[in-house]
């Protein structure tokens, strides 16, 4: 379904955040017969919905929310509306078409788009692809799941997008280049289960993209796509991949490109992210070996993204690391691996979604480190790790208390890593707020 297909139809936009506002403005240009906005939250009366937004689409909420949705020909949901929402089930039963702003945009721009998803690594990989394409003279617009709704994207000849599982779920067109960085259980409450999450994530690949690139080191990802694709994807980062790291060098086939040290980002997972990005460039026609000097300079210039293994200077000699966006045990495992050569204290815990921390326990079975548990899920994580012989566990009342405790228990020259394996909501406004509190605690507890 394209935006133009909404002409003359009754449309309800479900959600009043950035995505919902962008959808109202974009859809109104195509002259639907009726356009209404719906906010089903308890505080819908406090939503600021005035001016052009109110003129284009009156706001319904409260006891009228479902009736407004059910009376529409098409419902355009925001990514924050989970597939498991009771209204979604009722709308499907009534045969009402439900789509999303990302799907409407993709229907018109798929041929110009590189779309990147993954349970971990999608932000860094999509940013690297955009950065490297620009370096070799392929200007592009970068957006998606980074705070810029697709319906607000400027017109461009080429797009590089980071796409969440929520955005992928509604797609009925695949981008020309589809990229998957990793796959592990995430957001299960919003998708309805592990199988449903994988299905929604891999929907990015379902509509005949011209090129598919995946991280070949991820066994679960390889297994899940085996029965989905009509042709084999390009794999990167694995030992038998064309793009890989070998003997301290990034390689393209038998040719060395540049040293591993050119990439400032820590961790083997970031090596994989760059290998995937390089494979995408070659698949798009870039002569990677021929452009190695330009690409190496661009890689050296790439500083990474905020809140992902971001190091904070401290006069004590300890290294504090903000990895607040690691909201699953698998993401925390990648972060721990990046600092495994140094004495390590890890701060874990946050909103408790009932995740299984057995994989984290198994990963830490032969490692020596300290783990400090934060509310709310911290105590449950510590319980899962309690019988590991070389893992010291300590509870903390809050993030400030955890930083103070970490200073006491971390050996000189060690690392204090905030990689919570849980989301921030509940005790923080958002992940940025958790980062701010962490950085402030580091400053305030310094001697």
């Amino acid at each position: 379904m394209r935006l133009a297909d909404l002409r003359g139809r009754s449309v309800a936009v479900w959600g009043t955040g950035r995505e919902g506002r962008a959808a109202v403005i974009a859809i109104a240009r195509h002259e639907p017969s009726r356009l209404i906005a719906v906010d089903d939250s308890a505080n819908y009366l406090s939503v600021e919905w005035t001016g052009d937004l109110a003129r284009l689409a009156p706001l319904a909420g409260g006891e009228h929310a479902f009736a407004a949705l059910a009376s529409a020909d098409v419902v355009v949901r925001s990514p924050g509306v989970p597939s498991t929402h009771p209204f979604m089930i009722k709308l499907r039963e009534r045969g009402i078409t439900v789509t999303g702003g990302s799907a409407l945009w993709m229907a018109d721009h798929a041929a110009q788009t590189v779309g990147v998803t993954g349970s971990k690594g999608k932000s860094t990989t999509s940013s690297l692809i955009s950065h490297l394409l620009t370096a070799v003279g392929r200007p592009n617009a970068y957006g998606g799941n980074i705070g810029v709704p697709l319906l607000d994207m400027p017109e461009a000849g080429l797009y590089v997008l980071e796409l969440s599982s929520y955005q992928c779920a509604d797609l009925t067109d695949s981008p020309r280049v589809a990229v998957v960085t990793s796959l592990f259980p995430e957001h299960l409450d919003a998708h309805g289960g592990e199988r449903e999450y994988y299905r929604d994530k891999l929907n990015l690949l379902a509509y005949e993209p011209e090129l598919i690139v995946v991280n070949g080191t991820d066994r679960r990802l390889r297994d899940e796509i085996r029965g989905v694709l009509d042709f084999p994807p390009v794999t990167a980062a694995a030992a038998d991949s064309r793009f890989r790291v070998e003997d301290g060098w990034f390689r393209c086939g038998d040719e060395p490109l540049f040293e591993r040290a050119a990439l400032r980002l820590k961790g083997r997972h970031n090596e994989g992210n760059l290998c995937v990005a390089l494979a995408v460039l070659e698949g798009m026609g870039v002569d990677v070996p021929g452009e190695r000097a330009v690409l190496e300079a661009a890689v050296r210039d790439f500083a990474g993204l905020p809140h992902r293994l971001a190091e904070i200077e401290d006069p004590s000699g300890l290294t504090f690391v903000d990895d607040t966006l690691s909201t699953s045990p698998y993401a925390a495992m990648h972060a721990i691996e990046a600092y495994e050569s140094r004495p390590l204290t890890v701060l874990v815990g946050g909103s408790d979604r009932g995740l299984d921390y057995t994989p984290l326990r198994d990963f830490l079975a032969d490692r020596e480190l300290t783990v400090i548990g934060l509310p709310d899920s911290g105590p449950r994580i510590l319980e899962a790790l309690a019988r590991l012989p070389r893992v010291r566990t300590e509870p903390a009342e809050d993030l400030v208390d955890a930083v103070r405790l970490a200073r006491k228990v971390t050996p000189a020259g060690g690392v204090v890593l905030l990689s919570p394996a849980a989301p921030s909501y509940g005790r923080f406004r958002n992940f940025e707020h958790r980062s701010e509190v962490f950085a402030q605690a580091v400053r305030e507890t310094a001697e």
Side-chain angles (χ1 to χ4, degrees):
M1 176 173 286
R2 301 174 183 271
L3 280 165
D5 296 329
L6 301 180
R7 187 180 305 276
R9 305 182 75 178
S10 172
V11 181
V13 172
W14 187 0
T16 54
R18 284 178 295 195
E19 294 277 351
R21 291 163 187 257
V24 164
I25 293 169
I27 293 167
R29 299 190 188 108
H30 292 270
E31 301 179 357
S33 63
R34 185 190 71 146
L35 182 58
I36 191 168
V38 179
D39 189 314
D40 66 303
S41 66
N43 61 343
Y44 82 97
L45 290 174
S46 65
V47 172
E48 185 177 345
W49 197 261
T50 58
D52 286 344
L53 288 170
R55 178 179 57 81
L56 295 172
L59 178 63
E63 62 183 17
H64 304 292
F66 180 72
L69 294 170
S71 65
D73 300 321
V74 179
V75 171
V76 179
R77 65 165 174 164
S78 296
V81 176
S83 299
T84 53
H85 194 292
F87 288 0
M88 286 287 292
I89 298 169
K90 293 179 180 179
L91 291 171
R92 292 192 191 103
E93 289 174 348
R94 297 187 181 207
I96 294 172
T97 300
V98 180
T99 185
S102 297
L104 292 170
W105 183 93
M106 190 68 76
D108 288 320
H109 298 90
Q112 305 152 259
T113 300
V114 179
V116 183
T117 196
S119 303
K120 175 72 175 175
K122 61 183 179 295
S123 301
T124 298
T125 304
S126 58
S127 183
L128 271 168
I129 293 169
S130 176
H131 181 70
L132 297 180
L133 283 171
T134 300
V136 297
R138 301 276 190 95
N140 57 89
Y142 177 53
N145 187 44
I146 59 170
V148 181
L150 297 192
L151 291 172
D152 276 346
M153 292 285 287
E155 287 299 318
L158 177 63
Y159 299 91
V160 179
L161 305 178
E162 175 196 335
L163 298 170
S164 70
S165 54
Y166 311 117
Q167 291 171 304
C168 292
D170 289 325
L171 297 181
T172 53
D173 301 84
S174 291
R176 181 166 68 91
V177 180
V179 183
V180 188
T181 60
S182 62
L183 200 63
F184 53 75
E186 260 280 45
H187 308 299
L188 303 188
D189 50 345
H191 291 272
E194 187 171 344
R195 304 304 324 158
E196 291 79 6
Y197 168 70
Y198 296 159
R199 176 203 64 202
D200 289 348
K201 200 77 165 168
L202 297 179
N203 191 48
L204 181 76
L205 313 179
Y207 302 98
E208 300 182 350
E210 292 181 14
L211 172 67
I212 298 173
V213 180
V214 302
N215 187 327
T217 66
D218 190 316
R219 181 177 300 174
R220 181 182 286 106
L221 173 57
R222 296 199 312 268
D223 290 345
E224 289 295 330
I225 65 175
R226 186 171 290 123
V228 173
L229 303 181
D230 294 329
F231 60 93
V234 173
T235 62
D240 59 349
S241 297
R242 179 167 168 79
F243 290 94
R244 64 195 186 280
V245 176
E246 187 178 289
D247 299 327
W249 284 77
F250 282 95
R251 294 182 176 272
C252 174
D254 294 331
E255 294 188 62
L257 295 174
F258 40 79
E259 291 182 287
R260 166 61 177 91
L263 179 65
R264 294 156 62 182
L265 309 187
K266 296 185 180 297
R268 284 195 287 274
H269 63 293
N270 280 320
E271 296 173 5
N273 292 336
L274 179 53
C275 289
V276 169
L278 293 170
V280 168
L281 262 66
E282 183 173 69
M284 295 177 68
V286 176
D287 179 3
V288 171
E291 296 279 7
R292 79 181 74 202
V294 172
L295 291 170
E296 179 179 358
V299 168
R300 290 185 180 278
D301 187 51
F302 187 78
L305 303 174
H307 318 297
R308 296 168 177 85
L309 295 182
E311 296 186 356
I312 301 172
E313 293 184 6
D314 188 74
S316 69
L318 296 175
T319 300
F320 288 83
V321 182
D322 174 13
D323 195 44
T324 192
L325 281 174
S326 285
T327 58
S328 78
Y330 298 91
M333 287 153 53
H334 285 307
I336 292 167
E337 191 176 54
Y339 289 94
E340 63 185 356
S341 63
R342 296 173 62 183
L344 182 61
T345 298
V346 186
L347 314 185
V348 300
S351 180
D352 195 342
R353 297 179 295 173
L355 294 179
D356 178 12
Y357 288 98
T358 302
L360 180 61
R361 182 196 65 200
D362 295 343
F363 176 77
L364 296 180
D366 298 322
R367 285 174 163 81
E368 183 174 355
L369 74 165
T370 299
V371 179
I372 297 177
L374 300 159
D376 295 311
S377 61
R380 193 164 64 82
I381 300 174
L382 297 188
E383 183 180 357
L385 307 180
R387 288 175 291 280
L388 296 181
R390 303 174 67 195
V391 175
R392 173 183 177 180
T393 60
E394 298 279 356
E397 295 180 0
D398 54 31
L399 187 49
V400 177
D401 182 46
V403 170
R404 187 178 295 111
L405 177 59
R407 286 192 180 277
K408 295 178 181 178
V409 302
T410 307
V415 175
V416 178
L417 170 64
L418 173 64
S419 193
S424 58
Y425 50 79
R427 293 179 178 264
F428 301 94
R429 294 190 300 274
N430 46 41
F431 68 86
E432 293 97 339
H433 183 214
R434 180 160 62 183
S435 287
E436 292 168 9
V437 173
F438 179 60
Q440 184 176 354
V442 171
R443 291 191 300 269
E444 292 181 350
T445 58
E447 294 182 357

